[in-house]
């Protein structure tokens, strides 16, 4: 009979691993083990515990001992018990989420305390560790260190509106492409890319961006970062390269990892100061974002474009052109690619990461003829990055006109968002100067000296993800750093964009009364954005001491 009761109990509930240790009664040891499992996060809120009869059999305890321990833990707030729902870990007993080990941050002018301690913190809503029934010291729960909430709004740059991906049109192109695809398209991929896509790109880039090429000089890649990896070690990228003084640190780190040193070119109202190239004797390659300088905004002046090409011809060098945001212009005439000036000395790189989606992992390099074999050798015998099916779909999407229609539609949508951003700032923060808004997917908000870091922290406390200009500055850039925010207006969903702008305005510094000149510029509204955009792009690259490039 006893054996049947044990076997019956074994079939109840689920397993629960607890180690009962320490002095005192068995009930006290059980309660201490349950508390510790909840404190450490091993038992998450809502976890259902086994019935007391089952746990009693597993632990070799009397049923009444386990039942009494459950009842006391419920009374203390560690557990909840409802008829038909069993005994569960209480929701408010959740420990704080794990923190990454980072440098302590200063909050409100004082260093946050309690970081880096070995003892796990108890969440603010966790019940106090009251004296256990079997005795023991009373320990006061430590308050978790203050930290910003998880971001609610995202104003980070470089991310298109994911909800606007043209799913129906892309699906239609995919069906047509699959139907027409030759059998060999389903074999090992050609590292140069599908010929259908290369032909479509050659026509599209010539028509829209003024690129001079043919399909044989195009190599498909998965984006600009992938292009840099492929080019590193080829004659295109060796030794030392010049870059704009403001840009993505991720790209610079890729070059550094490949043994390539980077030297910064300063910026002014006309973009990168390409005349500085002549002073760098060891440089044979310069990386530029001439269509829309990243992140400060504005096109590279025609004379400086010509100067970069002349330098490359005289030095036997190369201009590496990142066509960042080339399709998205709002208030200015189209700016053609620098590659059209000299296809033998300019290497053009583009992608669909901003125009369609970074999830597609599709980009392209338009190469000088003498670099095609070098890049293909670096890429290998088979395509390992870009799906042949996605390439076929993109080729049809371009040739059917779907890509052009999507670009025009998104250009209007992003322009409306740009206008809303400018109008909101003109109303609520007229002392903040906005620039770089004539093209692209982000704006630059210029801040008073010494305020950038605190504003970024204030935005984090408003639940807003945003970056400052300091994140993009080359570590060797000359002159004092420029203070500002890089505000990406493409990412937030339509329904939350206004709330994101509210959070942004709440975190901006107040008008200190020394902004008369800049207020006039910032009061650009949706009705006047067109007439001021050219001046805006020049203003966004206005030097602070020595200009800086992205």
């Amino acid at each position: 009979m006893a054996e049947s009761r044990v076997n019956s109990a074994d079939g109840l509930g689920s397993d629960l691993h607890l180690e009962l240790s320490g002095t005192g009664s068995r009930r006290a040891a059980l309660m201490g083990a349950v508390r510790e499992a909840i404190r450490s996060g091993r038992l998450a809120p809502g976890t259902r515990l086994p019935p007391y009869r089952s746990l009693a059999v597993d632990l070799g305890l009397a049923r009444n001992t386990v039942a009494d321990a459950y009842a006391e833990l419920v009374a203390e707030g560690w557990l909840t018990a409802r008829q038909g729902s069993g005994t569960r870990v209480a929701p408010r007993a959740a420990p704080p989420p794990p923190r990454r080990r980072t440098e302590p941050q200063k909050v409100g002018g004082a260093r946050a305390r309690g970081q880096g301690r070995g003892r796990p913190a108890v969440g603010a809503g966790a019940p106090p560790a009251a004296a256990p029934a079997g005795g023991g010291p009373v320990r006061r729960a430590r308050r978790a260190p203050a930290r910003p909430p998880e971001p609610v709004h995202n104003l980070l740059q470089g991310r298109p509106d994911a909800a606007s991906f043209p799913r129906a049109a892309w699906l239609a192109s995919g069906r047509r492409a699959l139907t027409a695809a030759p059998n060999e398209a389903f074999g090992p991929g050609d590292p140069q890319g599908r010929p259908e896509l290369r032909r479509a790109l050659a026509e599209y880039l010539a028509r829209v961006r003024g690129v001079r090429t043919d399909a044989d000089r195009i190599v498909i890649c998965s984006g600009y970062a992938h292009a840099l990896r492929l080019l590193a070690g080829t004659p295109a990228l060796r030794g030392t390269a010049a870059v704009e003084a403001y840009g993505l640190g991720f790209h610079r780190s890729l070059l550094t990892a490949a043994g390539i040193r980077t030297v910064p070119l300063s910026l002014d109202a006309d973009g990168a100061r390409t005349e500085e190239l002549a002073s760098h004797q060891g440089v044979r390659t310069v990386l530029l974002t001439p269509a829309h300088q990243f992140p400060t905004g504005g096109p590279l002046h025609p004379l400086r474009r010509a100067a970069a090409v002349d330098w490359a011809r005289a030095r036997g060098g190369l201009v590496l052109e990142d066509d960042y945001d080339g399709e998205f212009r709002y208030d200015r005439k189209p700016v053609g690619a620098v590659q059209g000036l000299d296809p033998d000395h300019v290497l053009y790189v583009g992608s669909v990461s901003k125009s369609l989606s970074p999830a597609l992992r599709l980009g392209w390099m338009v190469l000088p003829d003498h670099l095609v074999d070098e890049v293909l050798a670096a890429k290998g015998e088979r395509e390992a990055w870009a799906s042949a099916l996605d390439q076929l779909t993109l080729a049809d999407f371009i040739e059917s006109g779907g890509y052009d229609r999507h670009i025009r539609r998104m250009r209007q949508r992003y322009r409306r968002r740009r206008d809303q951003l400018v109008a909101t700032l003109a109303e609520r923060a007229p002392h903040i100067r906005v620039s770089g808004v004539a093209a692209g997917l982000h704006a630059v908000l210029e801040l008073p000296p010494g305020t950038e870091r605190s504003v970024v922290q204030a935005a984090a406390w408003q639940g807003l993800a945003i970056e400052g200009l300091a994140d993009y500055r080359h570590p060797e850039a000359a002159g004092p750093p420029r203070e500002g925010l890089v505000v990406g207006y493409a990412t937030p969903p339509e329904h939350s964009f206004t709330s994101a702008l509210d959070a942004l305005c709440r975190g901006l510094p107040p008008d200190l009364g020394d902004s008369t000149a800049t207020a006039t510029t910032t009061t650009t509204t949706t009705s006047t954005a067109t007439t001021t955009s050219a001046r805006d792009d020049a203003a966004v690259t206005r030097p602070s001491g020595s200009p800086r490039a992205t």
Side-chain angles (χ1 to χ4, degrees), residues 330-332 415 418 524-534:
Y330 311 119
D331 308 317
R332 71 181 188 205
R415 178 172 183 162
R418 187 279 311 263
T524 307
T525 61
T526 56
S527 61
T528 61
T530 300
T531 60
T532 61
S533 61

Side-chain angles (χ1 to χ4, degrees), residues 18-34 36 59:
L18 294 173
E19 292 187 5
L20 309 187
S21 59
T23 59
S25 68
R26 302 298 284 171
R27 183 184 67 171
L30 173 59
M31 293 175 63
V34 173
E36 181 57 32
L59 298 179

Side-chain angles (χ1 to χ4, degrees), residues 34-45 47 78 89 93-96 98 120-121:
V34 173
R35 289 193 194 99
E36 181 57 32
I38 295 174
R39 283 195 194 100
S40 66
R42 189 165 66 83
L43 292 181
T47 300
W78 293 96
V89 177

Side-chain angles (χ1 to χ4, degrees), residues 402-417:
Y403 192 58
D404 283 273
R405 289 189 291 272
H406 174 72
I407 292 295
R408 289 195 297 271
R409 181 169 60 251
M410 296 311 299
R411 193 179 292 151
Q412 294 303 315
R413 177 170 298 183
Y414 292 145
R415 178 172 183 162
R416 288 194 297 270
R417 289 196 175 194

Side-chain angles (χ1 to χ4, degrees), residues 188-550:
D190 183 349
Q192 188 164 2
R194 290 299 307 173
E196 298 90 341
L197 178 56
R198 290 188 283 112
R199 288 193 295 266
L201 284 171
E203 186 277 331
Y204 174 81
L205 294 174
R207 172 171 55 87
V208 175
R209 304 294 299 124
V211 171
R212 295 160 54 193
T213 189
D214 55 51
D216 292 337
R217 294 171 66 172
I218 296 177
V219 174
I220 301 302
C221 59
S222 67
Y224 187 72
H226 185 212
L228 290 181
R229 291 187 177 100
L230 292 173
L231 294 169
T234 70
L237 276 176
R238 283 179 181 165
T240 303
V243 298
E244 295 164 324
Y246 277 78
L248 278 176
F250 172 61
H251 292 162
R252 293 194 297 267
S253 66
L254 289 178
L255 299 178
T256 301
I260 300 166
R261 179 173 174 262
T262 60
V263 295
L265 298 177
S266 54
L267 293 176
D268 60 17
D270 292 326
R273 300 186 63 174
T274 53
E275 64 271 19
E276 295 177 1
L277 288 168
S279 64
H280 299 292
Q281 294 302 316
V283 172
R284 293 292 183 274
T285 304
V286 57
L287 284 64
L288 299 173
T289 53
H292 186 237
Q293 202 286 323
F294 177 84
T296 61
L300 185 62
H301 191 278
L303 293 179
R304 292 192 175 172
R305 291 170 167 242
V309 172
D310 291 342
W311 166 85
R313 290 171 179 166
R315 186 71 62 89
L318 186 72
V319 176
L320 183 52
E321 178 178 13
D322 178 6
D323 195 25
Y324 182 82
D325 284 345
E327 298 93 346
F328 295 115
R329 61 188 185 278
Y330 311 119
D331 308 317
R332 71 181 188 205
K333 294 180 179 179
V335 179
V338 174
Q339 191 269 358
L341 298 178
D342 191 338
D344 292 329
H345 291 92
V346 181
L347 193 162
Y348 175 95
V349 183
S351 77
V352 298
S353 63
K354 308 297 186 298
S355 58
L356 280 172
S357 169
L360 288 177
R361 309 309 307 149
L362 283 176
W364 46 85
M365 293 178 281
V366 179
L367 299 164
D369 188 63
H370 66 279
L371 286 177
V372 174
D373 291 339
E374 294 269 1
V375 171
L376 290 178
K379 198 172 184 185
E381 296 182 359
R382 296 185 179 184
E383 175 58 64
W385 294 82
S387 162
L389 302 184
D390 285 341
Q391 293 183 54
L392 291 170
T393 302
L394 179 58
D396 181 272
F397 197 55
I398 293 173
E399 292 177 338
S400 67
Y403 192 58
D404 283 273
R405 289 189 291 272
H406 174 72
I407 292 295
R408 289 195 297 271
R409 181 169 60 251
M410 296 311 299
R411 193 179 292 151
Q412 294 303 315
R413 177 170 298 183
Y414 292 145
R415 178 172 183 162
R416 288 194 297 270
R417 289 196 175 194
R418 187 279 311 263
D419 291 347
Q420 184 178 349
L421 167 66
V422 172
T424 299
L425 291 169
E427 177 184 355
R428 299 179 57 179
H431 58 289
I432 299 296
R433 186 168 180 265
V434 188
S435 55
V437 294
L441 304 181
H442 71 271
V444 173
L445 275 57
E446 300 192 6
L447 299 176
T451 62
E452 179 182 309
R453 184 175 178 181
S454 62
V455 170
V456 172
Q457 290 178 343
W461 283 102
Q462 295 290 339
L464 178 65
I466 201 168
E467 294 172 316
L469 276 173
D471 295 329
Y472 300 93
R473 188 173 189 258
H474 193 289
E476 298 178 20
R482 178 178 163 187
E483 304 269 344
L485 297 178
V486 181
V487 180
Y489 48 78
T491 303
E494 290 287 347
H495 68 273
S496 65
F497 186 55
T498 299
S499 299
L501 296 185
D502 289 342
L504 171 65
C505 291
R506 288 195 298 269
L508 293 176
D511 186 1
L512 300 179
D514 189 24
S515 56
T516 306
T518 58
T520 303
T521 304
T522 317
T523 52
T524 307
T525 61
T526 56
S527 61
T528 61
T530 300
T531 60
T532 61
S533 61
R535 185 172 66 252
D536 252 357
D537 272 338
V540 75
T541 51
R542 184 184 61 180
S544 175
S546 177
R548 304 175 298 178
T550 37

